[in-house]
Amino acid sequence: MAKVLFINPVVREEDVPRHVPYGIALLAAIAIEKGHLVQVFDQNAWRTGEEVLRQVLAADRWDMVGLGGITTTYGSVKRIVRVAREVCPESAIVLGGGILTSLPYEMMTWLPEVDVGVVGEAFVTFPEMLSMIDEGRRDWHTVLGTISRGEGGRLIMAGQRPLLHDLDSLPFPAWDLFPLEEVYFPNSEVLYSEEGMLASRRLDINASYGCSLICRFCYHLGIAGDMRYETDAEGRTQVHFDEPGTYTRHIRYHSPEYVVRLARHAHDRYGVNFIGFLDENLMTMDQSSGRTWLKEICRLWHEYGLAPKYEYDDKGEVKGWTGVHWSGTSHATLCTKEILKVMREAGCSHLVYGYESFAPHVMKRIGKGATPKTNIRSFFWTLEAGIRPVPNQIIGFPNEDFDSIRQNVKAWEELGIVVKPHFATPYPGSEWYAVYRDSILEQYGGDLEAFVFELGDASKISATISHNFNAVELVGLRDMMLNFDYRHIDEYEKIWRRNHRIPDGQPSTLYRDADDTAPAAAAE
Amino acid sequence: MSSYLKGNFKTEKEVRPPETKKEADDLESRFERAALKRLGGSIAFVAKKKVKWTLDDKG
């Protein structure tokens, strides 16, 4: 049986570790189920230095050292694989997740210590690789969904791995291999709602994979049917994601029974009182199921005894509760009044909405299938249901202009929204990345790795894609927006118009695109 | 101290926590962390570990 060391790289260093890495927890469970020997070192949780990492790597003779994460873990992954190669010269070093999938050739070039990359979903690919180790083989290129090194270091992209259809065949995540009591439970708080703030033992569940919508800024990295293998002019297989005019989707979701059994397991075994659903968009799954999926999850939440029961004080104020609250993601156009009410009754405390913008012309270009009108409608429906909407906003869209900035500030004032928007960021794997790659390279002096190093959670600026504003302008405008400072925004517009020779009365934009008819959703 | 490694078998060697005191627990670090959270206006501070003492013009 193969001996595997999973390492969870550091992400969002500026915050405490809050989330057990769901993918690694699932892969560890799959490996154990297949009879392999597994250890997990959660470096993101422990935040220890190189000394501990070296001890971990030297603790045994590992057949495989496996890492994975999102693109923003790049700096940490680079440090880990360098040490891993030095301490474990004989081990196969494997990298998977979004970081590898989004840029397979680049990552294998920038990280020469990595032997094999897992492209896309690893649920089947990974155990096949472990079986190969058991057989004493290392011909990785025969395993679908991998990129590996051939003779002379030539990179070999194996065929595309089909997505797993029966998600319920997955075991429950191996949560007990992570420092729950030491790190994660003390960091359970989620500042999105009162119930989230008071969560003392939280775990996360991913109930579905993908999203049917085609937001230009979003990326799914092969788990949503969005990944295409195509042969380029030199005969090399290239991995493509959303590009203008080319969108594919295949969304999948667990059965309500699997989801609620897993929640009950988390409650019974770990005493969990809050579940955060990691899903990209719960509502797209509900719509795809014919509006049965969320309703059934909520019904079972009651049936399994998970729905919160409240205790009240003499004044009728809530003083405590039992049961499990939960949260997730919604969509302005796809949510319904009815389902929001049902969700609240089952313990839903808050829902994250990517409202993005309250400017009609900006929303029209995003491909989200939402408008300022549906944003506002869902906002009130959610509040009326007793759920806190979490109104995410972005500035710096390609066609962001002074009008959109003022429309957003006005909406925040009227709706009582307190927000510090993300900056529009072209993450690898998104359509924006495909469209603006040359501009990104230009902004980083041709050094794509420098861009990837700098990528964070978009609360700080990296590459900009706005046709109207540069990084300095966006940072300044965001600050004025936070302070509802219309006067300085108006003043700066005058300077901006002068600099760009755009007279008053004409739209304050340099953005030109005749195609305003982009579809909002991809066909399955 | 809990084990840094968690798994379904016992490894050949144990992983021991570093001997040195965790920097994040000392008073200086606690103060700088707290001040950083309220940074702005009159709240400003010197991050002592980042001071370049070798600067020629320090007097």
Side-chain angles (χ1 to χ4, degrees):
Chain A
M1 289 293 118
K3 206 177 262 187
V4 192
L5 170 64
F6 286 100
I7 302 179
N8 182 33
V10 177
V11 68
R12 298 197 79 212
E13 225 159 337
E14 68 280 8
D15 193 10
V16 295
R18 296 187 185 278
H19 304 281
V20 175
Y22 203 78
I24 294 178
L26 277 177
L27 290 178
I30 291 169
I32 289 170
E33 195 178 61
K34 304 271 183 197
H36 299 288
L37 300 172
V38 173
Q39 292 283 341
V40 173
F41 174 53
D42 190 342
Q43 193 174 32
N44 185 49
W46 294 113
R47 304 276 170 100
T48 53
E50 191 173 310
E51 183 192 334
V52 170
L53 175 65
R54 284 180 177 276
Q55 283 191 61
V56 164
L57 289 160
D60 218 309
R61 283 166 290 183
W62 309 106
D63 294 307
M64 183 188 283
V65 176
L67 301 91
I70 55 176
T71 314
T72 55
T73 61
Y74 181 66
S76 174
V77 166
K78 194 169 174 84
R79 288 190 293 274
I80 292 169
V81 295
R82 179 182 50 78
V83 179
R85 183 77 298 155
E86 187 190 321
V87 179
C88 311
E90 302 301 321
S91 307
I93 298 178
V94 179
L95 178 65
I99 182 175
L100 183 286
T101 303
S102 60
L103 299 164
Y105 287 107
E106 288 88 344
M107 286 294 161
M108 293 297 282
T109 305
W110 297 337
L111 305 170
E113 300 88 354
V114 174
D115 296 300
V116 200
V118 177
V119 184
E121 195 166 88
F123 297 143
V124 179
T125 307
F126 193 73
E128 279 190 15
M129 292 168 71
L130 295 179
S131 298
M132 184 172 272
I133 286 175
D134 285 348
E135 293 162 15
R137 293 163 50 209
R138 294 288 189 277
D139 47 336
W140 307 115
H141 65 279
T142 62
V143 180
L144 294 180
T146 61
I147 179 168
S148 55
R149 301 180 194 281
E151 277 182 28
R154 186 175 60 90
L155 294 172
I156 308 172
M157 183 79 77
Q160 185 169 1
R161 168 70 64 185
L163 295 172
L164 179 69
H165 287 289
D166 182 11
L167 287 180
D168 285 3
S169 64
L170 291 171
F172 288 169
W175 281 318
D176 47 344
L177 301 191
F178 295 83
L180 302 181
E181 301 294 343
E182 304 94 323
V183 178
Y184 287 111
F185 287 155
N187 295 329
S188 288
E189 172 191 85
V190 275
L191 289 177
Y192 294 123
S193 61
E194 291 80 348
E195 298 90 334
M197 181 181 76
L198 295 173
S200 57
R201 297 177 77 81
R202 174 183 50 81
L203 282 172
D204 306 320
I205 288 177
N206 200 30
S208 64
Y209 293 79
C211 174
S212 59
L213 302 168
I214 49 167
C215 304
R216 305 300 190 257
F217 51 83
C218 202
Y219 50 97
H220 315 274
L221 304 172
I223 60 164
D226 56 316
M227 186 167 65
R228 291 171 285 113
Y229 277 34
E230 289 176 7
T231 307
D232 65 17
E234 290 157 15
R236 199 160 81 146
T237 304
Q238 296 287 356
V239 175
H240 292 265
F241 301 96
D242 284 358
E243 288 165 3
T246 311
Y247 309 100
T248 52
R249 288 290 184 277
H250 178 68
I251 61 171
R252 297 163 295 157
Y253 43 91
H254 282 287
S255 68
E257 289 75 18
Y258 178 99
V259 174
V260 182
R261 273 196 305 109
L262 178 53
R264 182 76 216 190
H265 164 74
H267 177 264
D268 292 351
R269 182 149 174 189
Y270 304 104
V272 159
N273 57 17
F274 199 96
I275 294 285
F277 282 103
L278 300 168
D279 306 53
E280 288 187 46
N281 181 351
L282 291 172
M283 292 300 166
T284 191
M285 304 300 160
D286 196 49
Q287 188 199 36
S288 175
S289 70
R291 300 291 184 191
T292 60
W293 189 64
L294 277 173
K295 216 176 279 176
E296 184 61 3
I297 287 174
C298 292
R299 189 188 71 76
L300 290 172
W301 209 267
H302 288 280
E303 190 176 302
Y304 277 61
L306 295 170
K309 291 187 175 60
Y310 300 91
E311 294 169 42
Y312 299 90
D313 64 15
D314 299 341
K315 294 174 188 162
E317 301 243 337
V318 173
K319 67 172 186 181
W321 58 75
T322 57
V324 180
H325 282 103
W326 51 282
S327 65
T329 44
S330 187
H331 183 276
T333 307
L334 298 180
C335 69
T336 66
K337 235 177 164 173
E338 183 199 7
I339 194 60
L340 291 168
K341 189 168 174 290
V342 171
M343 289 164 79
R344 177 60 197 167
E345 284 166 3
C348 179
S349 65
H350 59 263
L351 287 170
V352 176
Y353 284 89
Y355 286 150
E356 327 305 4
S357 176
F358 287 96
H361 61 291
V362 168
M363 290 302 282
K364 195 175 178 184
R365 298 296 308 150
I366 295 177
K368 197 178 184 90
T371 63
K373 201 173 165 185
T374 59
N375 280 354
I376 293 167
R377 185 182 69 184
S378 67
F379 176 87
F380 286 112
W381 280 355
T382 309
L383 281 175
E384 282 163 13
I387 297 171
R388 269 193 182 270
V390 183
N392 277 353
Q393 296 278 274
I394 297 175
I395 67 160
F397 286 102
N399 61 341
E400 193 83 68
D401 56 20
F402 287 98
D403 287 344
S404 63
I405 281 170
R406 279 187 285 262
Q407 283 165 328
N408 282 324
V409 179
K410 185 165 176 284
W412 302 351
E413 273 190 305
E414 290 174 352
L415 298 171
I417 289 176
V418 181
V419 64
K420 189 174 183 180
H422 290 106
F423 290 112
T425 302
Y427 286 103
S430 68
E431 181 181 328
W432 277 351
Y433 177 79
V435 171
Y436 291 100
R437 189 182 155 106
D438 289 346
S439 164
I440 296 165
L441 283 169
E442 197 180 316
Q443 292 174 58
Y444 284 83
D447 186 353
L448 189 64
E449 188 182 13
F451 165 64
V452 173
F453 252 126
E454 205 170 83
L455 277 174
D457 66 358
S459 56
K460 289 181 186 155
I461 206 152
S462 57
T464 59
I465 56 166
S466 169
H467 292 217
N468 293 324
F469 302 122
N470 61 32
V472 175
E473 289 171 321
L474 286 172
V475 171
L477 286 165
R478 182 172 76 167
D479 203 53
M480 291 172 210
M481 293 170 81
L482 298 183
N483 293 302
F484 304 100
D485 186 354
Y486 291 103
R487 189 176 70 79
H488 276 109
I489 293 170
D490 292 347
E491 280 300 309
Y492 186 64
E493 183 178 0
K494 289 178 195 162
I495 297 167
W496 187 92
R497 283 180 178 275
R498 207 160 49 231
N499 289 344
H500 294 285
R501 297 195 176 107
I502 296 180
D504 288 345
Q506 284 188 19
S508 61
T509 188
L510 305 169
Y511 183 83
R512 296 284 177 270
D513 193 334
D515 179 17
D516 267 320
T517 56
E524 287 248 346
Chain B
M1 186 60 185
S2 301
S3 173
Y4 287 121
L5 275 172
K6 293 182 187 292
N8 65 346
F9 72 102
K10 190 169 168 26
T11 54
E12 290 177 4
K13 294 179 205 161
E14 277 187 27
V15 179
R16 299 184 182 284
E19 296 280 322
T20 50
K21 189 185 166 195
K22 276 177 78 178
E23 181 187 276
D25 288 340
D26 63 32
L27 187 59
E28 180 182 301
S29 300
R30 275 166 42 211
F31 160 71
E32 291 185 5
R33 268 203 313 272
L36 185 61
K37 278 185 189 163
R38 294 190 52 201
L39 187 67
S42 62
I43 301 289
F45 65 95
V46 174
K48 287 190 178 176
K49 290 187 178 58
K50 293 185 178 173
V51 174
K52 289 182 179 154
W53 290 96
T54 52
L55 283 183
D56 289 341
D57 58 350
K58 70 182 178 190

